[in-house]
Amino acid sequence: MVEAKFVGALPYFQGLAEAEVADIASLIFERHCQPNEVVLLEGEPSQAMYAVVSGRVKIVKTSAGGKEQVLRVMRPGESFNEVPLFDGGPNPATVIALELTLLYGISQEKMGHILSRHPRVVQNVLRLFAQRLRYLVSLVEDLSFRPVTARVAKLLLEQEEQREKHTQQEMAAQVGTVREVVGRSLKGLEALGAIKMVHGRVVIVNRRLLEELVESYP
């Protein structure tokens, strides 16, 4: 059963009256995903946008050679695949569940109803699209101007904040390189005294060193 309280807390629907949120919740469907299940496939016709209720998904682009670039990991309260609902195009990226995940979905038809009935949602959409654009600009800057070690340092700081741990392969996909290069970067950070490796896991021992490395490449 779709929880109206959760729906009202989503960025797209914040600031709405309780009755408005209830109306929107009635248009939403649930989708349960298993670990590693493909939620959306790049290039296929779009069926819906989704919000993560529990669990996590990763948004990825894959090159012709099979190299994977993780654009973003989406967590509870975050949404994805909105653009096709507005431009009618296909899914812009592949989305894969990282663990048992519950999603709330809204079809293109239902989103049209929501926008026509609730003008406040239109304002929220514009604000959130602007935020997403800023994020993508930041991602391009990271890939273009920061060396791999600085990108790895930034990712480690983000992982600590999110209380998450990733394999070196997963880290490589997120920073736009290969596992072997991530391994060398981690060894370099360990020699610097910023981290230590304990049974294959990264432990941050000097957060400030990582921050200084990230800040040295604005």
Side-chain angles (χ1 to χ4, degrees), residues 103-121:
L103 304 172
Y104 281 175
I106 306 175
S107 69
Q108 185 176 38
E109 178 186 7
K110 300 302 184 185
M111 179 56 81
H113 291 328
I114 291 170
L115 294 174
S116 64
R117 296 176 188 174
H118 308 287
R120 177 62 181 268
V121 177

Side-chain angles (χ1 to χ4, degrees), residues 90-198:
N91 299 326
T94 295
V95 180
I96 302 171
L98 292 171
E99 55 196 78
L100 285 172
T101 301
L102 171 60
L103 304 172
Y104 281 175
I106 306 175
S107 69
Q108 185 176 38
E109 178 186 7
K110 300 302 184 185
M111 179 56 81
H113 291 328
I114 291 170
L115 294 174
S116 64
R117 296 176 188 174
H118 308 287
R120 177 62 181 268
V121 177
V122 177
Q123 298 176 28
N124 290 342
V125 167
L126 293 174
R127 174 173 52 81
L128 289 165
F129 270 41
Q131 291 175 357
R132 294 285 175 84
L133 178 59
R134 288 183 182 277
Y135 171 80
L136 291 174
V137 169
S138 175
L139 179 61
V140 170
E141 288 177 343
D142 279 348
L143 295 175
S144 300
F145 303 123
R146 281 196 174 99
V148 173
T149 300
R151 302 204 300 267
V152 169
K154 183 179 179 183
L155 179 60
L156 291 175
L157 291 170
E158 292 172 350
Q159 288 180 182
E160 183 186 48
E161 184 177 335
Q162 299 291 340
R163 298 182 180 179
E164 295 178 352
K165 298 294 181 181
H166 299 295
T167 67
Q168 290 187 24
Q169 185 63 49
E170 291 170 337
M171 292 174 67
Q174 292 189 63
V175 300
T177 186
V178 295
R179 183 182 60 79
E180 292 76 11
V181 175
V182 167
R184 291 197 293 270
S185 295
L186 291 174
K187 288 181 180 179
L189 292 172
E190 187 173 28
L192 188 64
I195 66 171
K196 65 178 179 179
M197 302 299 293
V198 180

Side-chain angles (χ1 to χ4, degrees), residues 7-25 114 117-124:
V7 173
L10 292 172
Y12 283 110
F13 308 125
Q14 289 178 357
L16 299 180
E18 186 174 331
E20 292 179 296
V21 173
D23 178 49
I24 291 169
I114 291 170
R117 296 176 188 174
H118 308 287
R120 177 62 181 268
V121 177
V122 177
Q123 298 176 28
N124 290 342

Side-chain angles (χ1 to χ4, degrees), residues 4 7 41 49 56 60 72 74 111 120 140 150 156 196 210:
V7 173
L41 191 61
M49 64 166 279
R56 294 176 303 140
V60 303
R72 193 164 185 176
M74 309 304 286
M111 179 56 81
R120 177 62 181 268
V140 170
L156 291 175
K196 65 178 179 179
L210 292 178

